[in-house]
Amino acid sequence: MTKGQILVISGPSGSGKSTLVNRLMQEESDIYFSISSTTRAIRDGEKDGVNYHYISVDEFKDGILNDEFLEWAMVHKNYYGTSIKPVLEALESGKTVIFDIDVQGFNIVKDKFKDEITSVFITTTNCVELRNRLVNRATDEPKVIERRIMNAIGEMEHIKAYDYFLINDDLEKSYRGFKAIYESMKFKTASINLRDVIESWIN
Ligand code: 5GP
């Protein structure tokens, strides 16, 4: 069993997932954010190696053939995937690894790491709010925005597969909820090594 824990967050882009994660990472040092690889175009304001590793379709397909991904999925007509190696290293060193992945990726990771996973689905109050945020962000064409909204509606069918559901309508309130979820992970019995606990309790 690995030492670290996994926190999976899913939900439409524009729901404020990154804001919550970035704030948590400023406050907590023991977190490793899994930087995915993607074939989608880099957006204004994003940085290669920070938001994603931006790679070509051929490079991505090579990664699939070489078993480099813990999971991968086609989302909004682009490939997205999580590299195995850095994730396993971070887990081995006892870190909490955060994945921002879609529902398909979550289902794969859940099968591989049953005991180490806590999951939260984050979204906006409604689809009007999501559309407003995506339009104001001005990083996607109207056609892409509509595709993202349709995808978001489809993903909501899977909310019950997640441990927690967070509507990000008020940043302060949502952050308190998000942090509480993160804190609660440390107390899950599924993640402890029972032998170690009893051993150290006796001695
Ligand atoms: P965006 O293009 O807005 O950054 O992300 C689009 C969607 O892809 C989001 O729902 C995000 O959670 C998902 N995503 C990002 N990285 C990965 C990944 O490595 N694997 C999977 N399955 N989904 C990802």
Side-chain angles (χ1 to χ4, degrees), residues 135-195:
V135 169
N136 290 336
R137 194 169 77 177
T139 51
D140 295 306
E141 295 168 28
K143 200 175 66 192
V144 175
I145 291 181
E146 290 317 308
R147 194 157 70 215
R148 285 180 180 275
I149 290 165
M150 290 314 292
N151 196 61
I153 295 167
E155 286 211 323
M156 294 198 58
E157 296 286 339
H158 303 271
I159 285 174
K160 293 284 267 181
Y162 288 76
D163 297 318
Y164 299 100
F165 175 51
L166 195 64
I167 292 185
N168 191 6
D169 50 354
D170 171 304
L171 188 58
E172 286 309 314
K173 196 172 88 202
S174 305
Y175 184 67
R176 278 201 302 279
F178 186 57
K179 181 106 189 245
I181 293 167
Y182 167 77
E183 295 290 355
S184 75
M185 292 173 67
K186 298 175 191 150
F187 302 98
K188 284 176 94 171
T189 53
S191 66
I192 62 169
N193 183 324
L194 189 59
R195 286 294 120 222

Side-chain angles (χ1 to χ4, degrees), residues 9-14 17 34-38 40 43 46 52 60 71-76 78-83 99-106 108 137 140 148 151 155:
I9 55 171
S10 296
S13 40
K17 291 174 293 180
S34 165
I35 301 169
S36 301
S37 297
T38 183
R40 92 148 153 73
R43 290 184 192 131
E46 290 185 338
Y52 286 103
F60 201 98
E71 62 75 35
W72 64 270
M74 179 75 105
V75 189
H76 318 129
N78 290 302
Y79 287 104
Y80 292 82
T82 307
S83 298
F99 292 149
D100 174 351
I101 56 177
D102 81 329
V103 170
Q104 307 171 74
F106 167 54
I108 298 169
R137 194 169 77 177
D140 295 306
R148 285 180 180 275
N151 196 61
E155 286 211 323

Side-chain angles (χ1 to χ4, degrees), residues 21-32 175 179 182-183 186:
V21 171
N22 289 340
R23 187 155 159 194
L24 186 66
M25 288 181 73
Q26 277 167 12
E27 291 180 11
E28 301 290 326
S29 57
D30 263 5
I31 296 176
Y32 172 79
Y175 184 67
K179 181 106 189 245
Y182 167 77
E183 295 290 355
K186 298 175 191 150

